[in-house]
Amino acid sequence: MTTFHCAVLVRPGSVTERVRIETDPAGNIVNIATGVEAAPGDVRLATVVPGFATAHSHAFHRLLRGTTHADGGDFWQWRDAMYRVAGLLDPPLMFLVARAVFAEMLVSGFTAVGEFHYVHHRPDGAAYPAPHAMEIAIGEAARAVGIRLVLLDTCYLDGGIAAPLSPQQRRFGDGSASGWLSRWHSLREVIEGDRVTLGAAIHSVRAVSPAAMAEIRDGLDTGTPLHIHVSEQPQENADCIAAYGDTPVGVLAGLGMLDARLSLVHATHLTPADRTLIGASGCSVVMCPTTEADLGDGIGDALGLATAGARIAIGSDQNAVIDPLLELRGLEAGERLSSGRRGRFSPAALLDAGTRAGYASLGISSTVLATGDPCDLVEIDRTSLRTVGSAADQLLLTATASDVRRVIVGGRIVAEGGRLTAGATSPEVLLAEAFAAVAAA
């Protein structure tokens, strides 16, 4: 059992001084006392916030950082470059890349990640001889660094609406919804354990037909978190309306799939009717501001969705930037740019989006540092050039990942001073190893 003493604990809507957090051997909180001094043996922390979650990540996209920015074009042109990188991956390389990216996430303050994973098979679409080799590699990468992982194993059947998979996409597919479900249930038997759990994802309405989505809906346990890309691009909406007579959100509503377990990723180009349906459903919307800006996707209506009743979370998506504080700042910046007004999201709402809402989207129980919750914490430096003078509850609007001092997952310090505590390894070393392996592939 470990006890942490926080000089200042910032939770959504509250700032509390002198807080002792006691954990059990499993790393869950068993007691919280406020207004008390540290006891001998306590791990002393300064200003602390709950652990952040990136509810949407494609780890291997990190390989494109700094290589596609001068190319111009749009999302579809960038996607071609992404397919070329995806074609290089095999299980050993996937492990190296995921380990490096998860390490970068940890030292930056992300304590949990939802990995939206669809590179399942060999490039020709054939299964690997060792079942679930790619998925197991990702799980082992998470365990190696100590991050909490929800593997969002993704169904990807079509290359476009009613179109076959392209040669670059063959390795994503399982032939049918029943084929994907069979593999998914088999994967569940071998992947879970040691802070790794299995979730599910449907790539998009472009890649999975309504009939296949209905089969997936009925074939998953009701408690399984389910994610889907929705309305990231206007072309996706136009194609969906032409094929099905409705928007992607409308198709999901018609299938009865808009509910609390569903997370809609991006949701950038919505109609007013879409927003109403989403708000009434209790589902989550995972917005990825740095990626949506990098790819020129557009600015989603985050505040409108939140006002309608949606739960807003954040994701790092293509990992062109790995920084929970910049993602949250981007959420607020998008609202300011589109409205011409400041303070659109309160600091409490931003912190909730980065912590509790992200955990909920991933199916991880958390009421943000209450008894029974996982003890996932991030200590932030309030004395840096960026943060000095900041009010504790407004650190999200001044700090960056460079100000993360220590990261705790499951009651254990896993990162300190930009390095993993296991072997004092830096993410830079792991990234260099991954890039060297990519160059040799």
Side-chain angles (χ1 to χ4, degrees):
M1 183 176 76
T2 304
T3 300
F4 298 92
H5 185 273
C6 310
V8 178
L9 178 62
V10 183
R11 289 178 282 188
S14 72
V15 177
T16 311
E17 296 185 353
R18 305 190 317 281
V19 180
R20 291 186 80 233
I21 302 175
E22 298 179 35
T23 67
D24 63 17
N28 296 317
I29 297 171
V30 294
N31 187 54
I32 297 181
T34 61
V36 298
E37 301 305 322
D42 287 359
V43 176
R44 297 181 181 230
L45 305 173
T47 300
V48 175
V49 298
F52 296 104
T54 169
H56 186 71
S57 163
H58 304 288
F60 79 90
H61 292 187
R62 169 66 177 83
L63 298 173
L64 294 169
R65 185 190 297 179
T67 64
T68 63
H69 303 288
D71 297 343
D74 58 10
F75 166 85
W76 305 103
Q77 183 174 326
W78 170 87
R79 189 179 71 159
D80 291 338
M82 181 270 289
Y83 283 161
R84 289 193 291 273
V85 170
L88 300 175
L89 298 171
D90 61 14
L93 183 53
M94 180 67 88
F95 170 80
L96 293 176
V97 172
R99 183 182 62 170
V101 175
F102 293 161
E104 186 179 357
M105 288 176 177
L106 263 187
V107 302
S108 299
F110 283 123
T111 52
V113 53
E115 180 63 20
F116 198 103
H117 165 67
Y118 49 81
V119 187
H120 303 302
H121 308 298
R122 288 176 164 178
D124 64 358
Y128 283 98
H132 312 301
M134 288 293 239
E135 293 73 29
I136 289 171
I138 295 171
E140 289 306 309
R143 293 185 179 98
V145 302
I147 200 167
R148 199 178 294 278
L149 168 69
V150 178
L151 183 63
L152 297 166
D153 193 88
T154 304
C155 183
Y156 198 132
L157 302 177
D158 303 320
I161 294 177
L165 294 172
S166 69
Q168 300 99 319
Q169 297 167 325
R170 284 178 190 150
R171 67 186 316 183
F172 307 160
D174 288 291
S176 65
S178 61
W180 177 81
L181 282 165
S182 176
R183 187 180 56 76
W184 187 90
H185 283 287
S186 174
L187 173 61
R188 195 171 201 177
E189 297 175 3
V190 300
I191 194 73
E192 295 195 324
D194 194 20
R195 300 191 181 91
V196 174
T197 57
L198 183 63
I202 294 168
H203 183 270
S204 61
V205 296
R206 290 184 285 109
V208 182
S209 70
M213 285 194 281
E215 190 173 347
I216 291 167
R217 174 200 64 200
D218 296 338
L220 293 173
D221 299 339
T222 56
T224 301
L226 179 62
H227 289 221
I228 181 172
H229 292 123
V230 164
S231 297
E232 182 177 6
Q233 292 291 318
Q235 189 62 50
E236 176 187 334
N237 289 353
D239 292 346
C240 187
I241 291 168
Y244 305 127
D246 211 337
T247 63
V249 170
V251 169
L252 291 166
L255 292 169
M257 294 180 68
L258 290 181
D259 57 26
R261 79 163 175 177
L262 186 69
S263 292
L264 308 176
V265 181
H266 300 303
T268 307
H269 301 281
L270 301 177
T271 67
D274 290 339
R275 283 190 290 274
T276 299
L277 286 169
I278 293 168
S281 72
C283 67
S284 297
V285 175
V286 183
M287 309 194 91
C288 309
T290 63
T291 288
E292 288 147 8
D294 182 71
L295 297 181
D297 288 345
I299 300 173
D301 186 11
L303 186 61
L305 286 163
T307 302
R311 183 171 54 204
I312 306 298
I314 57 166
S316 54
D317 195 1
Q318 62 158 326
N319 297 302
V321 176
I322 296 180
D323 188 327
L325 298 148
L326 291 185
E327 294 293 351
L328 292 169
R329 199 123 80 244
L331 199 66
E332 168 68 9
E335 284 296 321
R336 294 184 183 191
L337 287 168
S338 60
S339 70
R341 299 188 63 82
R342 303 176 75 231
R344 301 287 283 169
F345 279 102
S346 69
L350 287 177
L351 185 56
D352 186 78
T355 58
R356 183 197 63 83
Y359 271 53
S361 169
L362 296 176
I364 304 171
S365 176
S366 176
T367 54
V368 191
L369 303 184
T371 300
D373 284 349
C375 184
D376 296 353
L377 310 171
V378 176
E379 182 185 29
I380 297 178
D381 185 0
R382 290 176 66 188
T383 64
S384 77
L385 286 172
R386 291 162 295 279
T387 61
V388 66
S390 300
D393 66 344
Q394 296 188 43
L395 275 174
L396 297 185
L397 298 167
T398 58
T400 71
S402 298
D403 300 309
V404 171
R405 281 181 169 176
R406 282 180 281 189
V407 180
I408 292 98
V409 176
R412 183 169 64 91
I413 298 174
V414 293
E416 185 168 8
R419 303 174 75 87
L420 303 179
T421 55
T425 305
S426 72
E428 291 87 347
V429 170
L430 299 180
L431 283 164
E433 185 176 351
F435 273 94
V438 170

